[in-house]
Amino acid sequence: MADGRDTESILQITPEWLASLGYAELAPAQSLVVMRRAYSALERMVGTLLVQEIRSDELDEFEAYVGTSNDAAAMEFVRQNAPDYAEVVRMAFNSLEDALRSAAQHYLQSSSEVDREIN
Amino acid sequence: MNHDCPDWAGRSLTITALSAWNRTIAEEILARFRQYAVEFSGSSTSTKRLSGLGQEARVVSVWGPKGTGKSSIVGAVQECLLNEADHPFVVVGPIQPEFFGPADNLLSVVLAELRRELIRTLAEEESPSVSSDEARRIIAAIEGAELTVAVSQATLPLLANAAATVDEFGRQIQRVAGATGGLWRRLAEATTQVAEAYGWIAILVDDPDLAPYQTLSTFRDIRNLATLPGVALLVAGNREMTRPALAPSSDLEIDGSGGAPDSRRWPSVGAELLAAETKVFPLSGSFSTSPPPWEERKAFVKLGRSESIEELLRQCAPYTPSDRNLLLNSLTAHSPLSAGYPLPERFRSLAQLWDQLDNMRQRPPTDLATSVDPSLTMSYLCNALFAHICPPRGARPIALSWGPVIETPSGRRRRVSCKFLSLNSGVTADSGFRDQVVLESSDNDNAVHLRLRSAQQVGSACFWAREEDFPRAAFKSDAAEDDMAAVLAIQEILYDSKLFDVGDEEALAGGFRPPSMAFLQVVRFEGQETDDHLVTLPTVKTWSGIAPAAQAWNGIVERWRDQGLSCVEVLALTLGAAHALANRDGFEAATASLDYRGALGILESYITTLEGSDDQLTLGQQELVNWYIGSVPAHWHSSIFGEEDIDLFTTNWNRVAKNWTSNASSSRRYRKWTLGQRLSSSLEDARDAGRALKLAWLGGYEQVVDRLAIKVPALPFSRVCRAWRDRVRMRHLGTVATRDAAAPPEENTGPESDAVPMTQPSEGADLLSSAPAPAADSEEARDGLMQAALLAIDQWQASADDF
């Protein structure tokens, strides 16, 4: 990473991560669908949270970096104007984990109840 | 067994002129008649004359709705009996009681015909098998019987009034037998003599149930004639029409009374009615016809002729422009996806169409540009097709009005007015592939659920679906697929024959419309759901265009699922398919180019070529132009293409479209489902800020709206544009920040497109077809778990305001 953080500090969206939340039964392709959707939602959530910290005219500057594909400048802009971005990502990530874990538990519980009723 | 008849009147006639099933029936009937003849010739004279009313009637019956080939069977059997070598028959008929007057009756007509036949035979035979004295004695016996029948006529109506069933009539007629001077004894003697001298008497009766005055007495005569020695009857009718006449009710039709049947009791069939029916028409000799399947319709040959309808259509090619046989295409296009076909399923209609085509091929047009004859002849053909469409149905052309020949910019054309509207209020001619299972489970839902499936999954289930804007109550659920196919075929002939000036295209039926072809049920831009009309094909308004369009669509769906194509690649395939279909070329989705720019360039070159052509556009080409102008700009959303791409596309659009928007229908850019119309209608609902935020994705069309000068409500559009820009910046910010803190999932574990994520359970299952196949119950559980996860993510995302 650009700031030299080791890879262990990077949040990982992997099949193992998904399995730890209660989705071990999913087929590999199904896991990929969920992971992609999760990552996309995470991006949007982080954007939603960070944009509240930045003024509109500053965002114009950011858009100029993005428009010219200047990734380094765009990243530097984020570090300067939203220094807590990593914490925001982690907070959103944890929240997403909770939502997914809860959904898996609820689904499995509902399925068990249905099975019991059938049997 | 082979029942081919020998040469007759210079032609080799065979029973194979019938459809497969009806041919089987005819062969079986012939076998019955031969059996009767053999048994008769082997019995003693005294035994022959012991026949009476109590004996089982020798009636072979053929049942079926009108036009299903009953008369053709009778005709085929007649020809074979006339040429029977081993067991000669005296063939009487076919007699058609439908044309009887009030004073006619079957018995008198049969005797008169029989006498005439014997006199003719006597006169024509060079070496008579019967001496002239013997022949005269037989003819005199028949004349005696005729006289007796005439005398008894005064009595029969009285009997009929007293006895409504054959059974009852039989008992009563025994009481008056002496008064009628030995009617049945004389008849038995006469028929025995005829059968011994000339051959078994075969009486053919067609449609006795249609006798306008005396249906019941006709059935009674059938029953009684069939118990005479040396006589057998072949009767063809419609059982549903027969039963009311036999019903033991005094308020049903009585000889000469003309009373109407009581429809309140139909179709109840009581034991007494069945007994009467089987007494006249024994079950052992009862057959049912079957309407011809598609291949047999194309292969239909009129009785006594040799060419099939398909062959006649091929010979009528001079009536169609250029190198294409329009008639063959529009009337014989075969779709494995569909149960509806333009050619009628009734044999009578097929025979009439056969005559029409036969007449047409006799006079091939020599100069399509100036001759009036082709349009006149083609008008007759359209009328013939039109006539077999049976109301009431979901949709049909209400009127075809043929006008004068006029001068048009494209040459001399016959003006025609055609209103393809519905008989039922509020139902339009629309179509699509419906998922039967979904429909059956949604009886109370007014929405039409259209879900495209592969050909293999669809099987033969292609139905005409009503327009979703209209209530279910207005849709006739038993609408025949054939009717719509014929409507579209007539439409295609009218337009693409280049012989007619049809008028405004808006008066025509819809054919396939984008919603029925939209397979990406949920399209997302930047996480926002859009409508599902981004990926479309041109509307298909012709019958011969339906099958290739549907197959192309299925091909795109399959490739998208197999290869995980991006949205841009799917759009590129639709461009290629649209071009190929309008040009009536085959489209191979599996090998077609995925290059959007290239496909768009080819399409635009083609449309430019059409504009410069002197030829009138075909209906398919018109729809291609409409689609390019109205719907293709929907592809150019800023989340799909970059600014430079959109600039290029819109520049070219303005160059290509300008020649079409001025001289054609002004609705091209604002027809239903076009980008302009959809933007306008969506923005009408987006006046408040919350709604504008939900529809923010519409703002991604800002560049297109500006460059194409699409008219949209200004204030709502500025709101959605602002919301869209904020959303895009927000997304970019989130992408940059997240990328530095969280690793995205790896790409190499399966196909999926971010641009068009799947959310429907069944579609998700289709998408994941490359995964190892688990057990059925396990697969269902996995799908459920995946859906639970996706739902949780969506809900979590929607809760952003809570942070």
Side-chain angles (χ1 to χ4, degrees):
Chain A
M1 293 292 129
D3 62 355
R5 284 180 291 142
D6 60 53
T7 53
E8 289 182 2
S9 66
I10 300 296
L11 303 171
Q12 300 288 332
I13 295 184
T14 61
E16 293 74 24
W17 168 77
L18 198 58
S20 72
L21 300 178
Y23 297 91
E25 295 300 315
L26 290 184
Q30 288 175 311
S31 293
L32 183 64
V33 171
V34 175
M35 288 188 297
R36 283 183 171 177
R37 181 74 68 82
Y39 189 81
S40 179
L42 183 63
E43 286 181 325
R44 285 193 293 276
M45 180 65 83
V46 169
T48 304
L49 296 172
L50 291 183
V51 79
Q52 298 166 12
E53 302 177 17
I54 304 172
R55 293 199 317 271
S56 179
D57 57 332
E58 291 172 337
L59 278 175
D60 291 342
E61 178 192 342
F62 173 74
E63 276 300 290
Y65 296 141
V66 173
T68 56
S69 300
N70 189 344
D71 291 347
M75 190 60 237
E76 186 57 30
F77 175 91
V78 171
R79 289 203 186 96
Q80 291 292 327
N81 292 280
D84 62 340
Y85 76 94
E87 183 55 30
V88 170
V89 173
R90 179 167 295 282
M91 185 180 69
F93 185 79
N94 290 340
S95 172
L96 177 60
E97 278 187 335
D98 290 343
L100 282 170
R101 190 181 293 111
S102 173
Q105 289 170 351
H106 182 71
Y107 176 79
L108 293 174
Q109 188 177 355
S110 301
S111 300
S112 301
E113 288 173 1
V114 170
D115 289 344
R116 272 200 303 275
E117 286 179 13
I118 293 174
N119 296 326
Chain B
M1 58 184 143
N2 182 10
H3 294 306
D4 288 359
C5 297
D7 186 72
W8 177 77
R11 292 194 300 272
S12 178
L13 292 179
T14 71
I15 212 166
T16 54
L18 300 173
S19 68
W21 175 251
N22 288 356
R23 183 169 66 246
T24 302
I25 293 176
E27 288 172 348
E28 184 63 24
I29 292 169
L30 280 171
R32 296 292 173 93
F33 274 80
R34 290 194 181 99
Q35 185 183 348
Y36 291 143
V38 169
E39 288 174 359
F40 181 82
S41 61
S43 58
S44 66
T45 302
S46 59
T47 303
K48 293 169 186 170
R49 298 190 179 185
L50 280 177
S51 298
L53 288 173
Q55 187 173 323
E56 187 74 358
R58 285 179 294 274
V59 178
V60 179
S61 53
V62 182
W63 303 103
K66 60 180 178 181
T68 54
K70 301 185 301 292
S71 300
S72 298
I73 291 174
V74 173
V77 170
Q78 177 196 18
E79 288 183 8
C80 288
L81 288 177
L82 285 170
N83 292 279
E84 187 76 13
D86 296 338
H87 303 285
F89 286 87
V90 177
V91 180
V92 177
I95 296 168
Q96 295 178 299
E98 184 179 358
F99 303 112
F100 281 3
D104 294 327
N105 66 80
L106 183 62
L107 194 53
S108 299
V109 173
V110 166
L111 291 174
E113 286 293 316
L114 182 59
R115 178 166 55 85
R116 187 156 47 234
E117 180 64 22
L118 295 182
I119 292 172
R120 186 190 62 78
T121 304
L122 189 62
E124 291 180 356
E125 272 191 339
E126 294 178 357
S127 54
S129 54
V130 178
S131 69
S132 59
D133 289 345
E134 175 69 8
R136 288 193 180 87
R137 264 200 306 279
I138 294 172
I139 292 171
I142 295 174
E143 285 175 341
E146 279 187 87
L147 185 62
T148 307
V149 169
V151 170
S152 69
Q153 283 303 300
T155 310
L156 286 175
L158 299 175
L159 289 179
N161 281 329
T165 68
V166 172
D167 200 7
E168 195 175 351
F169 172 82
R171 288 195 298 274
Q172 296 212 30
I173 201 170
Q174 297 300 321
R175 298 209 301 265
V176 299
T180 56
L183 167 65
W184 297 105
R185 181 180 53 78
R186 283 176 176 274
L187 283 173
E189 288 173 359
T191 57
T192 303
Q193 290 176 21
V194 171
E196 288 178 340
Y198 294 98
W200 189 265
I201 303 169
I203 301 171
L204 313 181
V205 184
D206 198 9
D207 289 333
D209 46 287
L210 297 181
Y213 298 101
Q214 56 279 76
T215 313
L216 182 57
S217 71
T218 301
F219 292 154
R220 192 170 52 226
D221 286 349
I222 289 171
R223 163 75 169 89
N224 293 333
L225 280 169
T227 56
L228 293 172
V231 175
L233 278 84
L234 170 59
V235 179
N238 184 342
R239 199 183 291 275
E240 297 308 313
M241 299 289 285
T242 302
R243 284 178 170 166
L246 287 172
S249 171
S250 58
D251 61 357
L252 295 186
E253 182 266 346
I254 299 297
D255 288 7
S257 66
D262 182 359
S263 60
R264 291 169 299 178
R265 274 200 295 276
W266 299 6
S268 63
V269 180
E272 194 174 352
L273 171 58
L274 277 178
E277 181 179 299
T278 54
K279 186 170 282 187
V280 183
F281 307 105
L283 291 175
S284 58
S286 184
F287 302 93
S288 295
T289 56
S290 174
W294 173 237
E295 291 304 327
E296 289 190 358
R297 293 188 220 178
K298 282 198 300 183
F300 175 81
V301 179
K302 192 178 177 186
L303 202 59
R305 305 299 291 270
S306 57
E307 295 105 328
S308 65
I309 275 187
E310 191 172 24
E311 177 58 26
L312 294 188
L313 286 169
R314 199 166 281 115
Q315 293 180 26
C316 289
Y319 276 88
T320 58
S322 66
D323 57 339
R324 297 195 179 98
N325 189 337
L326 169 68
L327 295 181
L328 194 65
N329 279 347
S330 57
L331 293 180
T332 64
H334 175 251
S335 166
L337 308 172
S338 170
Y341 305 106
L343 289 179
E345 67 173 10
R346 292 176 177 165
F347 281 105
R348 187 166 295 133
S349 299
L350 283 171
Q352 290 173 2
L353 193 60
W354 195 99
D355 286 340
Q356 184 62 50
L357 294 168
D358 186 40
N359 177 57
M360 184 183 281
R361 67 167 174 164
Q362 307 293 340
R363 303 188 302 150
T366 53
D367 187 351
L368 284 173
T370 59
S371 175
V372 178
D373 284 343
S375 67
L376 186 65
T377 312
M378 202 74 89
S379 307
Y380 289 150
L381 174 68
C382 289
N383 277 344
L385 286 168
F386 180 86
H388 82 75
I389 300 173
C390 298
R393 299 295 187 192
R396 60 162 286 181
I398 281 181
L400 283 175
S401 302
W402 308 101
V405 175
I406 57 171
E407 292 292 341
T408 72
S410 307
R412 299 186 73 203
R413 314 231 172 210
R414 188 174 188 196
R415 176 159 284 169
V416 56
S417 164
C418 51
K419 299 293 183 187
F420 288 89
L421 301 173
S422 166
L423 282 180
N424 302 314
S425 172
V427 180
T428 65
D430 208 340
S431 62
F433 292 102
R434 297 191 308 191
D435 184 335
Q436 240 180 328
V437 176
V438 174
L439 274 178
E440 286 170 359
S441 64
S442 60
D443 284 342
N444 297 321
D445 188 350
N446 275 340
V448 170
H449 297 267
L450 299 168
R451 184 178 296 172
L452 199 80
R453 296 300 176 92
S454 70
Q456 292 76 14
Q457 288 173 306
V458 171
S460 63
C462 174
F463 299 91
W464 304 110
R466 65 191 167 82
E467 179 73 48
E468 60 184 301
D469 293 344
F470 301 105
R472 180 170 291 272
F475 180 65
K476 189 155 181 63
S477 59
D478 63 347
E481 295 89 7
D482 282 343
D483 289 350
M484 181 59 76
V487 168
L488 292 178
I490 295 170
Q491 186 169 290
E492 186 170 4
I493 292 169
L494 289 176
Y495 256 109
D496 292 350
S497 65
K498 303 181 194 289
L499 295 170
F500 302 98
D501 179 51
V502 184
D504 192 343
E505 59 172 314
E506 293 299 316
L508 293 172
F512 275 133
R513 288 191 178 171
S516 51
M517 290 296 228
F519 65 90
L520 304 180
Q521 296 294 321
V522 177
V523 179
R524 289 173 176 236
F525 292 152
E526 301 294 334
Q528 270 200 288
E529 288 187 8
T530 72
D531 63 14
D532 60 357
H533 306 143
L534 174 70
V535 186
T536 64
L537 281 181
T539 297
V540 180
K541 282 186 172 176
T542 65
W543 174 249
S544 61
I546 284 179
Q551 284 160 356
W553 200 251
N554 279 336
I556 294 172
V557 173
E558 295 299 331
R559 187 170 176 187
W560 169 61
R561 288 173 176 165
D562 289 345
Q563 301 181 8
L565 302 181
S566 71
C567 191
V568 173
E569 290 169 331
V570 171
L571 295 174
L573 288 179
T574 64
L575 292 175
H579 175 219
L581 295 172
N583 210 26
R584 297 196 174 176
D585 294 331
F587 177 71
E588 292 292 336
T591 56
S593 169
L594 299 176
D595 173 23
Y596 186 88
R597 276 197 184 201
L600 186 60
I602 293 171
L603 181 66
E604 286 169 339
S605 297
Y606 178 68
I607 290 176
T608 303
T609 306
L610 291 180
E611 200 278 330
S613 169
D614 292 334
D615 292 337
Q616 185 189 14
L617 299 189
T618 64
L619 209 50
Q621 288 167 339
Q622 282 195 39
E623 283 306 314
L624 177 71
V625 174
N626 292 340
W627 179 72
Y628 169 76
I629 292 174
S631 297
V632 169
H635 298 175
W636 306 331
H637 192 275
S638 63
S639 70
I640 301 179
F641 293 103
E643 194 174 329
E644 289 182 5
D645 279 336
I646 297 175
D647 186 60
L648 174 68
F649 299 154
T650 52
T651 299
N652 289 337
W653 186 93
N654 280 314
R655 175 177 53 78
V656 173
K658 68 179 180 183
N659 294 323
W660 296 96
T661 51
S662 58
N663 60 2
S665 168
S666 61
S667 67
R668 274 207 163 99
R669 294 169 68 183
Y670 294 95
R671 299 164 87 210
K672 203 172 185 181
W673 314 122
T674 61
L675 177 63
Q677 194 274 341
R678 284 156 46 202
L679 283 176
S680 295
S681 60
S682 297
L683 291 169
E684 291 292 340
D685 297 332
R687 297 199 178 278
D688 64 88
R691 185 74 178 157
L693 199 61
K694 288 181 179 176
L695 294 173
W697 65 273
L698 294 176
Y701 288 116
E702 184 176 16
Q703 197 177 347
V704 177
V705 167
D706 181 51
R707 294 295 302 273
L708 271 51
I710 295 175
K711 295 174 187 171
V712 292
L715 184 59
F717 191 59
S718 67
R719 282 179 178 159
V720 298
C721 287
R722 194 162 54 243
W724 172 254
R725 280 194 293 272
D726 290 346
R727 183 173 290 276
V728 170
R729 291 200 301 189
M730 197 184 301
R731 174 61 183 265
H732 288 161
L733 189 62
T735 300
V736 171
T738 306
R739 190 169 54 206
D740 193 66
E746 294 182 9
E747 301 285 333
N748 59 353
T749 49
E752 209 249 351
S753 164
D754 279 338
V756 284
M758 306 299 298
T759 59
Q760 302 298 324
S762 60
E763 292 169 345
D766 289 336
L767 171 73
L768 301 167
S769 58
S770 59
D777 54 345
S778 173
E779 185 177 4
E780 189 178 339
R782 287 174 178 177
D783 283 344
L785 186 58
M786 183 180 75
Q787 293 307 316
L790 296 178
L791 180 63
I793 293 169
D794 285 347
Q795 290 175 341
W796 176 78
Q797 197 174 296
S799 68
D801 292 341
D802 297 339
F803 278 88

